[in-house]
Amino acid sequence: METKVISNWSAFVDLCSSLDGWAFRGQQDARWHLQSSLSRYLLAYVSDRAEWPAREARAIRIFRRKAHNYLANPELLNDDLRCLSLMQHHGAPTRLLDFTKSPFVAAFFALERTTTDAAIFALNTPALWRNSARPKSAPMLTRDELDPRVKGNLEKYFLSNENEVIWFGEPSEMDGRLIAQSGTFVVPGVIDRPLHEILDGYESDAELLRKIVLPPVLRSDAMRWLYRMNITNASLFPDLDGLAKSIAVELEMVWPSLTFGS
């Protein structure tokens, strides 16, 4: 995985033009591995990794048994990827990793609350879509074959925690938050290894993953530009919680001092 340190916001904008069609994930600390909330939780609190598949399956089962009380359309729980998406949306640890098709949305999530080097991970989704990148351990497992939107595939290819593969995409029905964020999900087949290690096991002539480091020095300029682009918590989380969170950035924005190119 190539790592590139960006010195200023203009350089980041220029770099993004060369990554057309890729997917992006922003993380506020460049030292963090590219891991799901489920991976981080289990690594911290469940030492016996042999128990992980059963623990994850039980968590999904409990959510399905109880979430119908709060849903206008409980049938959504029958769709495996939609169910995981709901869990993720409301704060449950899942194996999903949130990515976005917008490098600028990823930059917002990386920089909004950071006080150190932040990072954006760029994933070559065009290569994975074309199946020009295949897992060496199971080259027959194409993106279509793995599709967790197909009934039974989540359990068959992912919950066993045995297939060193990834799939990316969205549920058949996208909620407002996913639409607002230009979001997509990456679903790893194993949860005890970070994403870059899984992709190291892929056969590909193309670069599959890049790490872009954003130093604190560019945060102020970047946040002003993102604000002008209407990339804020209020736009990315279209509800009252998003509006309330967006007020923090308003504390930084002093209109008379804003000048283009600053």
Side-chain angles (χ1 to χ4, degrees), residues 15-147:
L15 175 61
C16 291
S17 65
S18 68
L19 301 175
D20 187 40
W22 289 41
F24 306 87
R25 176 178 171 86
Q27 299 193 160
Q28 69 183 51
D29 192 324
R31 294 169 295 183
W32 294 349
H33 285 306
L34 199 52
Q35 293 175 300
S36 69
S37 57
L38 178 65
S39 296
R40 294 193 301 270
Y41 195 93
L42 292 174
L43 281 167
Y45 300 113
V46 182
S47 58
D48 186 353
R49 298 191 181 192
E51 293 184 6
W52 287 12
R55 298 285 184 103
E56 180 185 15
R58 179 175 178 270
I60 296 171
R61 188 165 61 250
I62 290 172
F63 185 81
R64 278 190 160 128
R65 289 174 59 190
K66 299 180 179 181
H68 67 91
N69 291 291
Y70 310 100
L71 296 173
N73 181 13
E75 294 299 317
L76 293 176
L77 297 170
N78 296 327
D79 181 315
D80 288 334
L81 188 58
R82 190 71 176 90
C83 179
L84 285 184
S85 176
L86 278 170
M87 293 175 69
Q88 181 94 337
H89 179 112
H90 291 285
T94 79
R95 69 171 55 229
L96 302 183
L97 286 98
D98 292 303
F99 274 71
T100 171
K101 297 169 186 174
S102 167
F104 303 109
V105 170
F108 176 84
F109 286 125
L111 294 171
E112 182 205 7
R113 295 296 177 94
T114 191
T115 56
T116 184
D117 283 352
I120 293 174
F121 290 90
L123 179 66
N124 189 348
T125 46
L128 295 167
W129 180 277
R130 295 190 302 265
N131 292 310
S132 57
R134 298 278 189 94
K136 298 174 186 176
S137 61
M140 75 295 298
L141 293 181
T142 64
R143 182 176 182 275
D144 289 341
E145 182 71 23
L146 289 167
D147 195 338

Side-chain angles (χ1 to χ4, degrees), residues 143-253:
R143 182 176 182 275
D144 289 341
E145 182 71 23
L146 289 167
D147 195 338
R149 296 171 299 190
V150 176
K151 191 69 174 177
N153 274 5
L154 182 70
E155 182 175 1
K156 182 177 181 180
Y157 295 117
F158 297 95
L159 298 188
S160 64
N161 204 41
E162 294 176 347
N163 296 297
E164 297 182 8
V165 297
I166 70 166
W167 182 90
F168 77 93
E170 305 85 49
S172 300
E173 296 180 355
M174 298 171 63
D175 61 30
R177 183 179 294 185
L178 201 58
I179 294 169
Q181 297 173 9
S182 298
T184 190
F185 292 118
V186 169
V187 191
V190 293
I191 54 176
D192 55 354
R193 299 176 64 190
L195 200 65
H196 74 271
E197 290 188 7
I198 300 174
L199 289 172
D200 282 344
Y202 270 61
E203 188 77 47
S204 176
D205 294 330
E207 176 188 13
L208 295 182
L209 189 67
R210 184 181 299 186
K211 183 178 181 179
I212 304 164
V213 177
L214 307 176
V217 67
L218 63 71
R219 181 189 178 278
S220 179
D221 195 27
M223 292 302 292
R224 285 198 297 270
W225 276 104
L226 293 170
Y227 186 87
R228 294 169 185 147
M229 297 164 70
N230 194 33
I231 297 178
T232 69
N233 275 306
S235 62
L236 298 175
F237 299 91
D239 52 31
L240 187 59
D241 288 343
L243 174 61
K245 289 179 181 178
S246 74
I247 300 303
V249 173
E250 297 290 348
L251 297 174
E252 301 180 45
M253 300 300 155

